[in-house]
């Protein structure tokens, strides 16, 4: 990812540069899902791409669509197929172009970020009402 944005491994050890690249990557991943109108769904795809790489997310979207599910829905659609990318039956499917992934880790990552964000929102609301 660093190379994609013109930075070396050594430069990535600098916290400011590392955060800058993370922000650029999140922005770019988000733009690739701009067609998804639901902001929460779009954010889930963005976070999943940041964690696992967009190629694997696109593989899971193709699997979901092939199964007749909405490829623009994370919950109970794409997340389900991302988890299945650890199974040869799925990662060897012709629509999967980027191979195996332990997608359950990415699904847990997305859920964790959303849970943490909800906690922060609740704490923020509580703090403003005091």
């Amino acid at each position: 990812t660093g190379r994609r944005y013109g930075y070396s491994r050594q430069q990535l050890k600098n916290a400011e540069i590392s955060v800058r690249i993370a922000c650029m990557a999140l922005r770019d991943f988000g733009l690739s899902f701009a067609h998804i109108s639901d902001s929460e769904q779009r954010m889930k795809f963005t976070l999943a791409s940041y964690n696992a790489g967009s190629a694997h997310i696109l593989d899971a979207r193709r699997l979901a669509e092939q199964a007749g599910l909405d490829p623009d829905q994370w919950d109970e659609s794409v997340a389900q197929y991302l988890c299945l990318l650890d199974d040869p039956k799925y990662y060897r499917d012709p629509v999967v172009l980027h191979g195996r992934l332990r997608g359950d880790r990415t699904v847990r990552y997305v859920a964790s970020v959303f849970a943490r964000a909800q906690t922060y929102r609740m704490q923020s609301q509580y703090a403003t009402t005091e």
Side-chain angles (χ1 to χ4, degrees):
T1 301
R3 269 194 311 261
R4 177 201 274 182
Y5 293 102
Y7 292 92
S8 69
R9 279 184 186 227
Q10 185 61 36
Q11 289 172 306
L12 291 176
K13 293 178 182 178
N14 177 297
E16 185 178 328
I17 290 172
S18 186
V19 169
R20 183 179 311 129
I21 291 171
C23 290
M24 290 188 298
L26 283 166
R27 177 200 63 214
D28 292 345
F29 288 134
L31 289 173
S32 67
F33 296 107
H35 68 280
I36 299 175
S37 60
D38 183 285
S39 62
E40 183 174 310
Q41 294 300 307
R42 187 173 53 252
M43 182 55 70
K44 288 179 179 183
F45 281 99
T46 300
L47 290 168
S49 294
Y50 179 78
N51 183 261
S54 58
H56 289 298
I57 306 310
L58 295 175
D59 282 344
R61 291 182 80 223
R62 284 190 291 275
L63 284 170
E65 188 169 37
Q66 179 176 269
L69 298 175
D70 186 348
D72 292 339
Q73 289 296 312
W74 177 256
D75 302 304
E76 289 149 36
S77 183
V78 176
Q80 168 186 337
Y81 281 93
L82 195 65
C83 290
L84 293 172
L85 283 176
D86 196 27
D87 181 338
K89 175 183 174 185
Y90 293 93
Y91 70 73
R92 290 185 179 146
D93 188 291
V95 302
V96 174
L97 306 177
H98 298 94
R100 182 177 181 219
L101 174 74
R102 295 178 85 177
D104 59 318
R105 293 177 177 182
T106 297
V107 170
R108 282 194 308 271
Y109 169 77
V110 171
S112 171
V113 170
F114 265 78
R116 198 171 315 121
Q118 180 62 27
T119 299
Y120 294 154
R121 273 193 293 276
M122 289 172 40
Q123 289 174 346
S124 174
Q125 288 172 349
Y126 178 76
T128 58
T129 59
E130 287 188 339

